[in-house]
Amino acid sequence: MRVEVLESAKCALKKEFNGKNVVVIDVLRATTVMVTALENGASCIYPFKEIDEAKEKWGIKKDGFLAGERKGLKIEGFKFGNSPLEFTKEAVQGKEIFMTTSNGTRAIENALSADNLYIACYLNISAVSEKLLESKKDVVILCAGTDDKFSLDDALCAGMIIKKISEKESLKIDDLGLALKKIADLTSDLKGVLAESKHYSYLSSIGCEKDLDYCTMIDIFDIIPFYKNGKIKLPLK
Ligand code: MLT
């Protein structure tokens, strides 16, 4: 099995992912929100690159609600921002969510040619790793990054997935993946490693400390959201 890591949403722009499993990671905070909302019973999430697209589709459906951020802050007129702590059972059960974020939903849109597109974050790292092992296809881990740049929060999550699958399967890993696996091997204090990184520090500066605590919890859920026909959802039980 080959494993390649892409460092930001932009790196996926002109790529073809036919025959591959793609895992999209935007730990802070889009994919953490998606995993949380689906775990809490949201019926699906529609990801959009642009604010206007999200508003238009929501306007047509007149159901569910708009969620998302720009510069980490809730978009005017949207019901929710991008804090995973807002997406409680009471708020999302049975609801469709129309979501747009600066990097995460853009990364998803850039990877739609994948055979399977999975959504990962620290909360579901082992479940996603098991799925990749089961499927045996080559894997591309697409880190959303921040503003088209490498972002340590996503990259270290990619390294942890590679570490997990390499314990059970022999892999051909690209150089970025090898470097990230090495960092994952050496990391025992996740929050400590991320504390000085750019997006983590930014979110801390705008008062998102509780989100940061939550987004860095490992393996609290065993769900594997996937994208199909415009929606992110969970497999039927
Ligand atoms: C994104 O998609 O860019 C992030 O989720 C931004 C954020 O932390 O709100």
Side-chain angles (χ1 to χ4, degrees):
M1 194 191 284
R2 285 174 191 276
V3 180
E4 180 186 359
V5 180
L6 301 178
E7 68 178 44
S8 76
K10 187 171 80 177
C11 303
L13 256 184
K14 288 191 179 117
K15 284 231 172 201
E16 270 303 320
F17 298 109
N18 291 328
K20 298 193 173 154
N21 285 331
V22 174
V23 178
V24 175
I25 301 176
D26 186 1
V27 162
L28 302 177
R29 297 162 292 174
T31 58
T32 303
V33 166
M34 291 169 185
V35 168
T36 302
L38 291 166
E39 169 71 24
N40 284 339
S43 61
C44 70
I45 298 161
Y46 297 94
F48 298 99
K49 254 186 198 172
E50 307 294 342
I51 296 174
D52 285 349
E53 265 182 292
K55 281 184 173 167
E56 192 191 321
K57 291 287 160 39
W58 176 72
I60 293 168
K61 282 238 173 188
K62 293 255 184 311
D63 201 11
F65 58 83
L66 289 162
E69 58 66 47
R70 288 297 181 270
K71 299 194 190 318
L73 304 172
K74 182 158 87 87
I75 298 163
E76 210 187 312
F78 278 34
K79 176 160 175 165
F80 288 135
N82 202 30
S83 164
L85 303 177
E86 294 176 291
F87 295 74
T88 59
K89 267 198 177 60
E90 296 67 38
V92 304
Q93 194 128 40
K95 299 269 194 324
E96 296 189 330
I97 302 172
F98 297 76
M99 182 172 179
T100 177
T101 67
S102 316
N103 303 286
T105 55
R106 200 155 53 82
I108 290 168
E109 280 214 17
N110 290 349
L112 299 186
S113 61
D115 276 20
N116 299 295
L117 198 166
Y118 300 114
I119 303 297
C121 59
Y122 291 113
L123 307 186
N124 69 341
I125 218 165
S126 289
V128 169
S129 304
E130 284 303 319
K131 188 78 194 170
L132 298 174
L133 282 166
E134 233 173 69
S135 155
K136 306 241 181 280
K137 284 181 199 274
D138 289 345
V139 175
V140 178
I141 305 182
L142 172 55
C143 298
T146 303
D147 302 330
D148 293 324
K149 295 214 172 74
F150 179 95
S151 199
L152 187 55
D153 46 299
D154 298 336
L156 186 48
C157 184
M160 287 185 178
I161 291 176
I162 297 171
K163 176 170 153 61
K164 280 215 176 277
I165 56 179
S166 67
E167 281 159 7
K168 298 202 177 150
E169 174 85 41
S170 91
L171 304 175
K172 278 204 162 30
I173 308 171
D174 74 345
D175 282 12
L176 180 54
L178 284 172
L180 298 175
K181 178 178 169 297
K182 214 16 146 203
I183 298 172
D185 284 338
L186 297 171
T187 298
S188 54
D189 170 16
L190 178 57
K191 282 199 74 177
V193 171
L194 297 182
E196 287 173 46
S197 62
K198 192 172 168 198
H199 193 49
Y200 188 104
S201 309
Y202 174 70
L203 288 175
S204 173
S205 78
I206 59 168
C208 298
E209 215 50 68
K210 285 193 177 138
D211 285 1
L212 296 171
D213 288 343
Y214 178 78
C215 293
T216 48
M217 291 169 86
I218 296 175
D219 276 341
I220 58 169
F221 302 135
D222 63 0
I223 57 170
I224 310 148
F226 69 98
Y227 175 97
K228 194 159 186 133
N229 300 332
K231 302 178 189 183
I232 299 162
K233 53 188 187 168
L234 296 182
L236 294 173
K237 288 207 176 123

